[in-house]
Structure formats: structure tokens, C-alpha cells
Amino acid sequence: MEPRESYTGTLSYIAICLSMLCGGTTSLFATYGSSFSEVLGFTQYETNLVASLGDYAHYMSAPLFGYLSTRIGPTRVIQSAAVLMFCGYMGLSYSFKHFDTAYEHAHHYVATMAMLFALVGVGSKAAYMSSMATTARNFKHSRHSGIALGIPNSLYGLSTFVFSSLKARWFESDQTPYRYLAFMAFVSLAAHLLASKYVVLREAQAAPRKRATSLAIKTNAPLSPAVATSGSVMSPLHESFEMAETRKRRMTVSVANEAGHADGDVAANSTLPALPVDSTAIDSRSATHADQPYNGHGSGADTPPLSAATMSPLSVAVAANPAQPREESALARLGRDPIAWALLMGIICLSGPGLAFVNNCGSMVRAMSHNTSLTEEQIGQYKDKIVATQSFFSFFARLVVGYLSDLWRTRLRLPRSGLLVIAGLLMIYAQNTAARVSRLEDMYPLAVLIGTAMGSTFTLAPTITAETWGAENFGLCWGVITLGPAVGGHICNLIFGSSWDQGLFNIISRLGKDAPQDRMQCTNECFIPAFRTTAKISYF
């Protein structure tokens, strides 16, 4: 690889990491989610409905952006992520600034806030899918594909830690989160526009070199120094084409000589002129099958197509009516593969309970702080620390598990799915722990468990997808499988919201309507039934 190409590749990888670091901010909802009830007068069910619809938009858009990343490249997709996240965060900021008092018909705001948060989720997924698809294709031949995907993926998990820490330092004293959301809007816009300027796809970089090689073969001209020193002067596809041409010329000369001896028309030492090389066939073949290795034989699906000028009449007739079956699409193969369905169900049952905690841990902290002496500002800081702890251990797990999965795969020769099973067992233990939370201090170990399980799951699953169905199909296949968190998160969020509102109703009924307002607050009895249910979902 040329030094310039190495520099461009490194800069592209850094740009991907920047996009992922500023793209994984949907989990920040937990840091300002309680403001929906405190400022806008939402019920917990309505707040969770906003979070669920945002998660739905976040994950349901994954196949679209996976497809677009393959079709139009990562640059435009990341630019669209910048615009979507900016509009979403600025809309939320405007809403909190101008709807700063509880409205008697607060449900009118639910659709608006859900749509704005959905824009944030869609933009976040656009950045995620373009970055992951580009990384998978750039490192598809590397032995360290796990850690290559794990680093940007871990930064996606670290995003919540970074920006929740900034909120705790600069914006915690604000009564409403509108300044913080405006800050997130401008940071998202600047970071993604900067990343889109430098992110590149190596296959797109190699296209000019392939065209130069084809032209050199056609005109018998020497290769340019840039192509000759690039480390890949002639691709295996062109080498195989040259081998096939050489064999065909020899056979043509041999047949012509035999015919000449029999009829007396051709001398024994006669030779035929060199046959032209059809460079159009080379470019067409390399454009559609550049990733398929040549099988070493002169026939079959891997042999490059020949032009009519270089083929015998019998070969032209056979080529005119090929009897080859149509290649099945990647989406059809994915739909018929039981491994895909097993992975999808695993993602639903593991990510749903985890997302329920991520989106509602702020409300859980507030519920268990009523019997403490903490001030409102200290409760807010405690809430941000819990969110940051979950995010940090998600980042740490993504980074470490990405490296361990490479060792697990290359040294021990074991499938990565074994580590995914371990992550599932950890999530089951975390959900059962959440169902026994009784003190505010219990939130820290719970955040560690949830973050580690979620980080491990979202590192192993995309790597398994790339290895099972190919890096060139990663964008579409992982986009389909990542619909699982949308389904699981929506179900578990609604379970949590219903349990919370039912628990609050029971408390009010028990105390009576004449009880002091400060006593009509949710405690752990509002969410423990929800986690008992989500723990059962994790077992599946």
C-alpha cells in the first residue's frame, strides 16, 4: 500500500470514529427524559411512548441506510445524519424552551416530541450504518476484523458517557434542557460534516487503478509508476483473464496448424496474430465480481467473460443462451437462513430489557431518591453518573470483547456465537438484579451489568453478521437484523411505562387524594414488576 493510501485510510478510520462518537447519543434520553413529566406534564407511559417511537425510528431505518451506504457511499449518508440530528435536537430544544409549562392537553405534544426524537434516532442510525458498513468492507480481508469493528462500535457506546458528563458539568443547573439540546444539535452537525469530508471506501479508491491496468492491457502500454508501485499492479481477476487468453491462443494456433497440414492451405510454421483483449469485459467482470476469487480453472462461474471477437462460433452460440441459474439475492438468502432468525430473536430478547433500563434509569434514580436528603441538583448529577457508568462499561465491553472475539476465533477456533451466549446469561442476571433493587446505591452495579451485556451484544452481533453473510452484504443484512432492538425496546419500554403508571395509581389509591403531594411519588414498587417481566423475556 502506498504511503498516501495508508494516510488516507488512517484518516478515514479516524473520521469514522468521530462520527460514531457523536452519533450514539440517543441513549442520552435518560438524562433529560424526566423533564417530559416535570416540564410538559407527560405521564410516564407517554414519556416511554416518545422513547419507544424514537427507538423504532432509530432501528427501523437501519436497512434503508445500510442499502444507501452500499449504493451511494458513506459520505452522503453521514451528511444526511448531520442534518437529521441537527433538526431533531434543535426541535426538541425549541419545544422545551417555548412549552416550558405543563399544558392541560399535554398529549398534544406527544406526537410532536416523538417525531423530533425520531429524527435524532434516524440520524444516529444513518451515522452508525454508514460507518459500520464502511469499516466492514475496508477490513473484510483482515484477521483483526473484530477489533476493527469493535473500536468505532465502542466509541458509539462511549458517546453517552462523554455527553452526559458534559451535561453534568455545564448544564446541570438549568431548569429545562433546551440549552443542552441546542448544544447537542450544533455538535452533531459539525462533527458529522467534518467526518463526511474524510471518510472513504477502499474499493472506490482502487477503481481508478483497475481502470489504468485495463487500459494498459488493452494498449500493451507500460503501467504508470503510480499503478506499478501500488502493490497491486494486476488483480487476480486480470491475471486469470491473461491465463485464459494465453491458453485460448495456443489452442487456436494448434487447431489452425492441424487444419493447415490436412488441407495444405496453411504452412506448418504459420502463426496467427495476437487476438485483441476486450477490456470492457474485464471492467464489467471486475465491477460485479471483484470480491470473488478465481478458481484456477478455465471454466465455471469465476471465468471472466470473453468478447465475441475472441470466441469461436460454437462458444458464441453457447454464450448467447446461457443455462445458468439466476443468483439469489442476499436478502432472500438471509430470510431463508435459520441462523439469521436465531440471531434476530436473540437480539430482540437481549436488547429489549437492556434498552428499558437505559431509557428509564433516570426515572428509577428519582423514584428512589425521595427518602434521601439529596437536593434536586444532586439528584440530577446522580442520574447523569448512572447513565455515564452504563455508557462507559458499554464502551469498555465493546472494545475488550472485540479483541477477545478475535482471539476466540483465530486461536481457539471457536465460533463467536459462544461469547454471545455468555452475554445473554449476563443480561439475564442483570434483569433479575434490577427486580431486587431497594437502595439508590444498587443502581451502580446494575448499570455496570447492563452496560457490559449491551456492549458485548452489539459488538459480537455485527461481526457475526459480516462473517456469515459477507462484508459486501453487511449494510443490508445487519440493517435487517438490527430491527430486533426496535421490537424488543418498544415492548419492554411499554411494559415499564405501564408498570410505573399502575404503581403510581396504587400509591395514590392507598394514601388517598387528600395526602400531601410530596408523598404521592413513585418508589421501587413502580418498576420492580416491570423488571420481573423483562427478566422472563431475557430467558428466551
Side-chain angles (χ1 to χ4, degrees):
M1 182 180 291
E2 287 186 8
R4 180 177 178 82
E5 288 187 5
S6 178
Y7 172 77
T8 304
T10 302
L11 196 60
S12 173
Y13 193 71
I14 294 173
I16 287 173
C17 291
L18 175 63
S19 177
M20 294 288 274
L21 179 62
C22 297
T25 57
T26 52
S27 297
L28 286 172
F29 183 86
T31 64
Y32 58 87
S34 59
S35 298
F36 283 89
S37 59
E38 297 167 0
V39 178
L40 302 180
F42 283 22
T43 66
Q44 189 64 33
Y45 183 85
E46 290 173 334
T47 301
N48 279 58
L49 186 62
V50 172
S52 296
L53 293 177
D55 286 339
Y56 250 121
H58 177 73
Y59 291 107
M60 295 293 285
S61 61
L64 172 64
F65 290 117
Y67 173 77
L68 291 178
S69 298
T70 303
R71 292 289 296 174
I72 67 176
T75 300
R76 293 182 181 178
V77 179
I78 294 179
Q79 289 172 349
S80 66
V83 175
L84 288 169
M85 295 187 72
F86 175 79
C87 293
Y89 274 126
M90 281 302 296
L92 289 172
S93 174
Y94 179 87
S95 299
F96 274 108
K97 183 177 182 180
H98 293 278
F99 306 154
D100 56 356
T101 57
Y103 183 52
E104 60 179 354
H105 301 296
H107 59 275
H108 291 173
Y109 295 153
V110 174
T112 302
M113 304 304 278
M115 182 184 67
L116 293 172
F117 186 61
L119 289 178
V120 176
V122 171
S124 174
K125 183 55 69 174
Y128 175 85
M129 290 304 301
S130 60
S131 299
M132 291 294 286
T134 303
T135 304
R137 295 175 70 179
N138 286 348
F139 291 88
K140 61 184 176 182
H141 298 306
S142 174
R143 293 180 56 192
H144 306 291
S145 59
I147 189 65
L149 285 169
I151 290 175
N153 203 7
S154 64
L155 292 174
Y156 192 80
L158 187 66
S159 181
T160 304
F161 172 81
V162 172
F163 290 105
S164 63
S165 299
L166 292 178
K167 180 180 181 297
R169 174 168 295 187
W170 294 342
F171 303 100
E172 197 57 52
S173 60
D174 292 356
Q175 297 297 320
T176 62
Y178 81 91
R179 283 202 319 132
Y180 173 61
L181 292 170
F183 168 77
M184 291 302 306
F186 286 105
V187 169
S188 301
L189 180 68
H192 288 105
L193 289 180
L194 181 63
S196 67
K197 182 178 177 61
Y198 296 103
V199 65
V200 295
L201 192 62
R202 288 182 184 176
E203 296 173 5
Q205 279 189 304
R209 187 170 63 248
K210 291 180 179 179
R211 288 194 294 269
T213 305
S214 302
L215 183 61
I217 294 173
K218 179 177 180 180
T219 60
N220 292 325
L223 294 172
S224 65
V227 176
T229 60
S230 63
S232 57
V233 175
M234 187 177 295
S235 66
L237 177 62
H238 287 91
E239 291 179 359
S240 64
F241 187 86
E242 286 293 299
M243 293 169 62
E245 284 294 317
T246 303
R247 287 196 299 271
K248 187 158 62 63
R249 288 171 183 169
R250 291 174 181 171
M251 293 174 63
T252 305
V253 172
S254 176
V255 171
N257 285 338
E258 291 176 2
H261 283 299
D263 300 332
D265 297 332
V266 181
N269 59 350
S270 64
T271 59
L272 295 179
L275 297 176
V277 178
D278 188 0
S279 63
T280 305
I282 298 177
D283 293 337
S284 176
R285 182 68 179 176
S286 61
T288 57
H289 298 283
D291 295 331
Q292 298 181 3
Y294 180 62
N295 63 4
H297 305 287
S299 62
D302 295 324
T303 305
L306 303 176
S307 66
T310 62
M311 297 169 64
S312 65
L314 179 60
S315 300
V316 173
V318 172
N321 299 289
Q324 299 179 355
R326 180 177 297 179
E327 184 179 357
E328 192 176 20
S329 66
L331 189 59
R333 293 199 308 270
L334 185 73
R336 293 192 302 104
D337 195 339
I339 297 177
W341 288 101
L343 185 59
L344 178 62
M345 290 302 299
I347 292 293
I348 291 174
C349 296
L350 292 181
S351 61
L355 288 173
F357 173 82
V358 171
N359 289 330
N360 296 286
C361 60
S363 299
M364 294 170 64
V365 169
R366 182 166 293 278
M368 290 185 294
S369 63
H370 298 304
N371 297 325
T372 65
S373 58
L374 296 177
T375 63
E376 283 295 320
E377 184 174 350
Q378 289 173 332
I379 292 173
Q381 292 176 349
Y382 202 99
K383 177 176 59 177
D384 294 338
K385 289 179 181 179
I386 295 298
V387 174
T389 301
Q390 183 274 331
S391 174
F392 176 79
F393 278 90
S394 176
F395 154 77
F396 183 75
R398 294 177 194 229
L399 194 62
V400 172
V401 172
Y403 175 73
L404 290 179
S405 67
D406 285 335
L407 297 181
W408 184 274
R409 176 75 172 168
T410 58
R411 299 289 180 86
L412 301 179
R413 306 292 181 182
L414 295 174
R416 298 182 198 266
S417 55
L419 292 175
L420 192 59
V421 172
I422 297 175
L425 295 175
L426 187 61
M427 179 60 75
I428 293 174
Y429 177 73
Q431 293 297 307
N432 283 283
T433 301
R436 297 191 301 268
V437 168
S438 59
R439 300 177 305 161
L440 198 58
E441 291 76 14
D442 295 337
M443 293 292 293
Y444 277 112
L446 182 58
V448 171
L449 292 172
I450 295 288
T452 303
M454 291 284 286
S456 302
T457 300
F458 283 100
T459 294
L460 294 167
T463 307
I464 292 172
T465 302
E467 291 181 344
T468 305
W469 295 283
E472 63 277 5
N473 300 318
F474 174 82
L476 182 61
C477 293
W478 176 239
V480 172
I481 293 174
T482 198
L483 295 177
V487 178
H490 181 69
I491 294 172
C492 293
N493 275 326
L494 293 185
I495 290 174
F496 188 95
S498 298
S499 174
W500 183 281
D501 289 340
Q502 183 62 41
L504 181 60
F505 176 79
N506 293 337
I507 292 174
I508 295 176
S509 300
R510 186 170 60 246
L511 296 177
K513 295 183 179 181
D514 297 331
Q517 189 67 29
D518 59 347
R519 296 184 59 189
M520 294 183 181
Q521 302 290 340
C522 262
T523 60
N524 60 343
E525 69 177 280
C526 291
F527 59 79
I528 283 180
F531 283 110
R532 287 174 180 167
T533 305
T534 56
K536 296 176 183 178
I537 295 177
S538 301
Y539 280 106
F540 291 100

